[in-house]
Amino acid sequence: MGDDLKTKGFLDIPIDFSLDLFAEINKLKKEKNAIILAHYYQDADIQDIADYIGDSLGLSQEAAKTDADIIVFAGVHFMAETAKILSPNKKVLLPDLNAGCSLADSCPADKFEEFKKAYPDHLVISYINCSADLKTLTDIVCTSTNAVQIVESLPKDQKIIFAPDKNLGAYINKKSVRNMVLWDGACMVHEIFSLEKIIKLKRQHPHALLLAHPECESNLLEIADYIGSTTGILKYATGSDGKEFIVATEAGIIHQMQKANPNKSFIPAPPNNSCACNDCPHMKLNTLEKLYNCLKYEQPEIVLSNDLIERAKKPILKMLELSALFGL
Ligand code: 13P
Ligand code: SF4
C-alpha cells in the first residue's frame, strides 16, 4: 500500500466491481465521521456523493468550520493543502496526490521570492491557486469570488504584486483601475479557449449568453456577458431569464448548472483543439474508485509541518476575515 503512494500517488487497490460505491462511501462517511468536499470541476458522480460542492472560497470556508474528523478533499492539491492549514487537527485526504494545478505550478516559491525583492514596498496578494510555500510569501490570499473586493478595499495608492494568475490580475487592474505588478502565470484550462470558435458559436446561438471565469484571457472576457467565479456563474445562470448559455470555464460546472436549471441549455465553450469541451486534467485525476479507497484506507493524507501551517495560515485568515466583512 505504501509503495502505491510513493510510485503512483494514489491507492491502486482493486475494488470488487459488484460493490455499490455510493452506498459504501456513505457507510464509511458515517462510520468515520468524514465529510467530502468537492469542487465544481470534479466528475458528476463525485459531485453527487459530496456533502458540500463549491468554489475555492466556499470550500475553504467549509473546511474551516466543519466538525468532521476526516475531510476528503475532491479537488486539487492546493485546495486540500488549504483545508489542512485551516483545520490542522483534522485528517485531510486527497484521492490522488498527483492532482496538481498548472497555475500553482507556474509560480515556484523560490523564483517568486527573488521576484519580490525588486518590489520591497509592495503588498503581495496571491490567488488561492498557489502552493502553501507561496502563501507564506503573501500578505492576503484571494479567490475569484473576492479578488476585486479585496483589492478595492486597499488604498488607491497601495502598491501591489498580484500572483500567480496574470489574467485574473489584468481583469482586476482593469475593473478597479489599478496598476498591480503581475506575475506571469496562467491556467492551462482557461487559456485554451478558442475565441474564433466561441464567436462562431455565438452566431449560431444568437440568444446565448457567454459566461466566463476571470482566469480566461482578456480578449474572451471582453465579449463575455458575465464574468465571475464558478459559484458566480452558477448563480447568474440560475437567476437569469436567458435560456441558453455558453460556459467558458472547466466543463464540470455544467453538471450543477443543468441540475439547477433543467429547462435551460448549457454549451461548453470550445477549446483551441479538436475537443468539444474543456476538462482540467488535474481535477479529473480523482475518480469515485480512488475516493472510495482513500476514505477506506485513509490515504493519501496531506501532511504539512506546523511551521508551514502557521506561516501560510495568516494570509488565508485575512482573506476569510475580509470575506466575512463583505458578506461573502
Ligand atoms: P473558483 O473555484 O474560485 O471559481 O476558481 C476556479 C478554479 O480554477 C479552481 O481551480
Ligand atoms: Fe488549476 Fe486551472 Fe485546473 Fe483550476 S482549472 S485546478 S486553475 S489547472
Side-chain angles (χ1 to χ4, degrees), residues 198-272:
I198 292 173
I199 291 171
K200 199 167 155 202
L201 206 53
K202 274 185 85 119
R203 261 193 233 114
Q204 289 161 351
H205 300 265
H207 300 295
L209 297 172
L210 175 62
L211 315 181
H213 196 281
E215 285 176 28
C216 295
E217 288 178 319
S218 60
N219 55 3
L220 194 156
L221 295 180
E222 269 160 30
I223 61 159
D225 296 288
Y226 173 79
I227 301 166
S229 72
T230 43
T231 298
I233 287 175
L234 173 61
K235 283 190 182 157
Y236 182 87
T238 305
S240 164
D241 292 334
K243 294 279 173 264
E244 233 183 352
F245 303 88
I246 300 167
V247 184
T249 188
E250 211 268 1
I253 181 71
I254 293 179
H255 183 54
Q256 294 306 321
M257 296 176 91
Q258 199 67 75
K259 263 178 129 172
N261 303 281
N263 300 323
K264 297 182 181 178
S265 84
F266 301 99
I267 310 164
N272 216 346

Side-chain angles (χ1 to χ4, degrees), residues 11-113:
L11 295 177
D12 194 11
I13 300 171
I15 299 172
D16 176 354
F17 67 85
S18 66
L19 279 184
D20 174 350
L21 286 188
F22 279 83
E24 294 299 319
I25 290 172
N26 278 326
K27 203 162 81 188
L28 286 169
K29 266 194 326 196
K30 271 201 198 108
E31 278 169 23
K32 293 172 184 260
N33 187 28
I35 186 174
I36 299 175
L37 305 182
H39 191 271
Y40 292 120
Y41 295 166
Q42 292 293 284
D43 278 341
D45 47 9
I46 294 183
Q47 293 189 36
D48 289 344
I49 194 93
D51 298 284
Y52 177 86
I53 315 158
D55 67 358
S56 304
L57 176 63
L59 289 164
S60 41
Q61 288 167 328
E62 209 56 35
K65 73 177 185 209
T66 180
D67 53 13
D69 294 316
I70 296 179
I71 298 173
V72 183
F73 210 108
V76 291
H77 195 274
F78 77 81
M79 294 180 172
E81 213 173 45
T82 305
K84 182 69 186 173
I85 292 165
L86 289 169
S87 280
N89 299 325
K90 300 190 192 311
K91 192 174 254 188
V92 177
L93 307 171
L94 179 66
D96 188 332
L97 286 178
N98 301 305
C101 168
S102 66
L103 182 49
D105 292 347
S106 69
C107 193
D110 55 342
K111 296 226 166 60
F112 183 77
E113 199 168 12

Side-chain angles (χ1 to χ4, degrees), residues 104-227:
D105 292 347
S106 69
C107 193
D110 55 342
K111 296 226 166 60
F112 183 77
E113 199 168 12
E114 276 308 304
F115 174 82
K116 193 182 154 176
K117 282 182 187 156
Y119 307 96
D121 53 351
H122 285 53
L123 196 84
V124 177
I125 302 185
S126 295
Y127 192 32
I128 198 164
N129 300 35
C130 66
S131 66
D133 286 324
L134 198 82
K135 289 182 176 87
T136 66
L137 302 169
T138 295
D139 297 293
I140 315 176
V141 165
C142 70
T143 74
S144 57
T145 296
N146 55 28
V148 170
Q149 276 167 288
I150 287 180
V151 170
E152 288 182 351
S153 72
L154 300 168
K156 272 267 176 213
D157 57 353
Q158 173 67 57
K159 293 178 180 164
I160 302 170
I161 304 176
F162 187 85
D165 190 2
K166 64 177 177 191
N167 292 323
L168 176 61
Y171 168 69
I172 303 168
N173 269 345
K174 192 170 170 205
K175 198 160 165 76
S176 310
V177 199
R178 301 274 171 152
N179 192 20
M180 299 187 298
V181 175
L182 307 180
W183 177 265
D184 187 15
C187 157
M188 61 188 285
V189 177
H190 290 87
E191 281 226 310
I192 206 178
F193 291 117
S194 159
L195 189 65
E196 207 183 316
K197 287 188 197 168
I198 292 173
I199 291 171
K200 199 167 155 202
L201 206 53
K202 274 185 85 119
R203 261 193 233 114
Q204 289 161 351
H205 300 265
H207 300 295
L209 297 172
L210 175 62
L211 315 181
H213 196 281
E215 285 176 28
C216 295
E217 288 178 319
S218 60
N219 55 3
L220 194 156
L221 295 180
E222 269 160 30
I223 61 159
D225 296 288
Y226 173 79
I227 301 166

